[in-house]
Amino acid sequence: MRTILDLELLNTFVAVVETESFTAAAPYVGRSQSAVSMQMQRLEQSLGKQLLVRTPKAVVPNASGNQLLEYARRLLALSDEASATITRQSELARVRLGVPDDYAASLLPQILRRFANEHPRVVIELVCEPSERLNRAIRDNRIDLAVVTRAPDQSIEVLRRERLVWVSSPTHAAWYSDPLPVALFETGTARAHVLRALADSGRAYHCTYSSASLSGLVTVVRSGLSVAGLALCSVPDSLRVIQDVEGLPQLDDLEIGILQNPLCDLRAVDRLRDSLRRDLSN
């Protein structure tokens, strides 16, 4: 008898593998942890093979599971494509994604490349603005999704914590200057963290440059005129991270999260949101 693979079970299987947990996979497939576990038992029984290895720390695929994973992703992608074609929705879906430019270059390339391979009929319109403006863009219905730095007291789904570090030119020691020359973003949580750390430490400083863009800040710091506080993930190779032994005050971590426009109900938006959740979480 021919075995017919259940796409719903395959979708849950992929979620479990990518999150390494029945519990973490549950919200992605809209089921409870126990239901996810039962679905994986059904899938293994239907194939007559164990697919997952349950360890104290994670759930990981064995050799058979890794073989199935590639086919599962291809079948799910084909299912999406067939559904869109038959329902006359095969035209390109467009998702407006907002992200600060200091995260766009460091966090998004692999995520967007993977998403494009899995969902070739979705076009992403990328909007690069500071988190504060992206929050407004969500409220004004100008974008569908946004990856932002969480502001104080902001209710948001936090996906990862990112170190905020001091950076300087590799050939200058601007942090020895008194008062300390600092380049700052025009607005935002990173700017607030830097100013609060300096105020709490009593370190004298003066702002030498203010910019809305990462490239502007990097240019000034690379010239040796200033230091700056940047998310570790966005520090370019042309700058050096100043170590704690150099005496600059400790900076609080940044919390990176995701916002979704409540007025948008496109399936493509949900798919991109799930990809961002999966690949940005740490």
Side-chain angles (χ1 to χ4, degrees):
M1 177 184 290
R2 186 171 65 176
T3 300
I4 305 298
L5 292 173
D6 187 324
L7 290 179
E8 185 175 355
L9 298 184
L10 293 180
N11 186 52
T12 301
F13 171 71
V14 171
V16 169
V17 172
E18 290 177 344
T19 61
E20 299 184 343
S21 165
F22 292 154
T23 302
Y28 291 116
V29 297
R31 292 182 176 272
S32 65
Q33 182 272 338
S34 59
V36 168
S37 179
M38 291 179 61
Q39 282 191 317
M40 293 304 91
Q41 291 177 20
R42 286 172 52 200
L43 181 61
E44 289 177 330
Q45 290 170 359
S46 70
L47 292 172
K49 291 276 190 178
Q50 182 179 355
L51 302 171
L52 299 167
V53 179
R54 296 140 177 94
T55 71
K57 293 185 177 180
V59 178
V60 296
N62 59 16
S64 296
N66 279 319
Q67 286 182 324
L68 178 62
L69 181 62
E70 179 181 352
Y71 287 107
R73 286 173 172 155
R74 287 162 57 187
L75 287 169
L76 290 169
L78 283 172
S79 175
D80 285 345
E81 183 177 347
S83 177
T85 300
I86 298 302
T87 58
R88 298 185 180 277
Q89 294 175 358
S90 58
E91 67 273 9
L92 295 179
R94 295 186 179 274
V95 179
R96 301 165 296 175
L97 171 65
V99 61
D101 67 349
D102 50 330
Y103 297 155
S106 57
L107 297 179
L108 287 191
Q110 291 186 352
I111 296 175
L112 296 183
R113 188 180 306 115
R114 179 177 176 178
F115 185 82
N117 289 336
E118 295 175 350
H119 306 283
R121 295 183 180 276
V122 179
V123 173
I124 297 177
E125 297 179 0
L126 198 60
V127 177
C128 291
E129 292 186 357
S131 294
E132 184 178 299
R133 296 177 187 171
L134 295 176
N135 289 328
R136 291 199 300 268
I138 286 285
R139 292 194 297 268
D140 295 342
N141 195 29
R142 290 188 283 112
I143 58 176
D144 305 309
L145 286 172
V147 176
V148 298
T149 304
R150 191 180 79 86
D153 301 324
Q154 182 180 17
S155 178
I156 187 175
E157 178 186 1
V158 175
L159 300 178
R160 67 186 289 140
R161 296 179 68 88
E162 192 70 33
R163 285 183 59 203
L164 183 63
V165 297
W166 292 104
V167 294
S168 72
S169 162
T171 57
H172 296 79
W175 64 90
Y176 286 134
S177 300
D178 190 22
L180 180 71
V182 181
L184 297 166
F185 285 112
E186 284 183 357
T187 61
T189 304
R191 176 189 177 99
H193 283 358
V194 169
L195 293 178
R196 182 170 58 252
L198 291 170
D200 290 347
S201 68
R203 179 69 184 266
Y205 70 93
H206 66 102
C207 178
T208 60
Y209 185 81
S210 181
S211 172
S213 73
L214 174 66
S215 60
L217 233 60
V218 168
T219 298
V220 171
V221 174
R222 192 167 51 202
S223 71
L225 298 175
S226 299
V227 299
L230 294 181
L232 181 59
C233 67
S234 60
V235 177
D237 293 338
S238 59
L239 300 182
R240 62 169 288 193
V241 175
I242 305 172
Q243 302 302 320
D244 294 341
V245 294
E246 303 298 350
L248 291 180
Q250 184 75 32
L251 298 170
D252 291 337
D253 291 346
L254 300 172
E255 293 180 324
I256 300 175
I258 188 169
L259 294 172
Q260 182 168 347
N261 184 342
L263 300 179
C264 182
D265 59 358
L266 291 176
R267 188 177 182 188
V269 173
D270 294 335
R271 291 287 191 182
L272 179 56
R273 180 202 61 211
D274 292 344
S275 293
L276 292 167
R277 278 175 173 165
R278 174 189 64 203
D279 295 336
L280 285 178
S281 298
N282 64 5

